[in-house]
């Protein structure tokens, strides 16, 4: 009986480390499965949109790049989100390209889509193309500030100062407290040699800027306007 007992014990002992090894393998398998599950649940499209909404534009672009690498994810909204992220990080050509890709997926039908496209083109120095792209927005909302503000800056860039001043005047009827429209019109008037009107608009611009607690933008035409008319004011 003693011999049998020892024999039975000897047969049981090797099983214990084997059981532990199996448990370790199961644990690793479980961890790997969990990681794979988390990876499968990850959605770079949603994460990219959320990051862009939170103004974390560079990480948003990385996520949206991963998302849009899959053609099945191509949507107008995702391309427009990445276009805005590119614009905010200074990649103007990328913003133009993505907005155009958005229009290829789904033709633009909202006013804001046209305005954003015009903004990207204008910022990228594509003035003639921007003026052409503005036409649908003019048809949709001819008297609005965004329509006439962008048109005004485009016309200034093209040297068409009288048309620019007229367009900005229409916009100011819609939104008379928009400081930067006065700055743009002051530049147009100054270029036309109408210094009195330019000074008047410059003072309106400065008053609204101070009233609204806004800073002077780092935009060369406005910086030059500030330099010239602040000097004339002796400030």
């Amino acid at each position: 009986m003693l011999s049998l007992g020892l024999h039975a014990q000897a047969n049981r002992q090797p099983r214990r480390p084997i059981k532990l090894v199996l448990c370790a393998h199961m644990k690793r398998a479980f961890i790997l499965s969990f990681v794979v599950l988390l990876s499968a649940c990850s959605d770079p499209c949603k994460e990219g949109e959320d990051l862009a909404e939170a103004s974390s534009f560079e990480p948003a672009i990385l996520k949206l790049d991963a998302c849009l690498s899959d053609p099945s994810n191509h949507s107008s909204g995702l391309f427009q989100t990445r276009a805005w992220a590119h614009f905010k990080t200074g990649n103007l050509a990328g913003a133009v390209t993505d907005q155009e890709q958005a229009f290829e997926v789904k033709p633009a039908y909202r006013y804001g889509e046209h305005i954003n496209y015009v903004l990207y083109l204008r910022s990228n120095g594509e003035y003639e193309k921007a003026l052409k792209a503005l036409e649908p927005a003019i048809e949709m909302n001819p008297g609005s500030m965004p329509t006439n503000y962008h048109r005004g800056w485009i016309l200034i860039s093209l040297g068409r100062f009288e048309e620019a001043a007229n367009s900005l005047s229409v916009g100011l009827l819609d939104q008379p407290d928009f400081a930067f429209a006065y700055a743009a019109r002051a530049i147009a008037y100054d270029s036309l040699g109408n210094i009195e009107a330019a000074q008047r608009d410059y003072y309106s611009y400065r008053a609204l800027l101070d009233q609204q607690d806004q800073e002077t933008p780092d935009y060369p035409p406005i910086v030059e306007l500030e330099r010239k008319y602040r000097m004339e004011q002796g400030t």
Side-chain angles (χ1 to χ4, degrees):
M1 295 293 293
L2 180 60
S3 175
L4 179 62
L6 290 173
H7 180 68
Q9 186 180 19
N11 286 339
R12 288 196 299 271
Q13 285 175 347
R15 296 177 186 174
R16 296 182 65 187
I18 292 172
K19 184 178 180 181
L20 288 172
V21 170
L22 288 173
C23 287
H25 281 305
M26 291 173 66
K27 183 177 180 181
R28 283 195 295 271
F30 174 78
I31 291 171
L32 287 172
S33 299
F34 185 68
V35 169
V36 170
L37 180 63
L38 284 177
S39 177
C41 292
S42 176
D43 182 354
C45 303
K46 177 68 164 58
E47 291 170 4
E49 287 182 313
D50 290 344
L51 286 165
E53 182 69 24
S55 298
S56 296
F57 296 113
E58 290 183 357
I61 290 169
L62 293 176
K63 290 291 184 181
L64 290 167
D65 285 347
C67 164
L68 291 168
S69 66
D70 182 352
S72 67
N73 289 329
H74 287 188
S75 76
S76 176
L78 287 170
F79 277 119
Q80 290 192 67
T81 298
R82 193 172 67 176
W84 182 250
H86 279 314
F87 174 73
K88 296 299 286 185
T89 55
N91 182 1
L92 303 177
V96 169
T97 298
D98 269 353
Q99 194 70 21
E100 289 174 347
Q101 285 187 284
F103 293 162
E104 288 178 10
V105 173
K106 183 178 181 180
Y109 68 95
R110 292 180 299 184
Y111 175 74
E113 293 175 319
H114 294 290
I115 288 296
N116 281 353
Y117 184 40
V118 170
L119 171 63
Y120 304 153
L121 290 168
R122 177 171 75 81
S123 301
N124 200 39
E126 300 180 59
Y127 303 121
E128 292 286 0
K129 191 174 178 180
L131 197 59
K132 180 70 175 174
L134 191 60
E135 290 176 1
I138 293 172
E139 291 179 10
M140 290 179 179
N141 204 342
S144 76
M145 174 57 83
T147 297
N148 289 283
Y149 181 71
H150 287 296
R151 186 170 184 270
W153 274 119
I154 293 166
L155 292 169
I156 286 170
S157 300
L158 292 171
R160 294 161 59 178
F161 302 114
E162 188 170 353
E163 292 174 82
N166 292 338
S167 189
L168 291 159
S169 296
V170 173
L172 285 164
L173 293 174
D174 177 54
Q175 190 177 341
D177 62 347
F178 188 50
F180 301 111
Y182 288 100
R185 193 171 65 176
I187 291 167
Y189 283 143
D190 180 76
S191 300
L192 290 167
N194 189 344
I195 303 304
E196 183 179 346
Q199 285 178 328
R200 185 168 59 248
D201 272 355
Y202 172 75
Y203 298 149
S204 296
Y205 156 71
R206 283 305 319 177
L208 285 167
L209 210 65
D210 295 340
Q211 177 185 325
Q212 296 164 4
D213 197 25
Q214 297 190 69
E215 295 183 359
T216 302
D218 187 21
Y219 184 51
I222 293 182
V223 171
E224 176 58 23
L225 178 75
E226 287 274 5
R227 185 198 64 77
K228 180 175 181 178
Y229 283 93
R230 272 187 180 273
M231 187 180 298
E232 289 183 3
Q233 281 183 292
T235 59

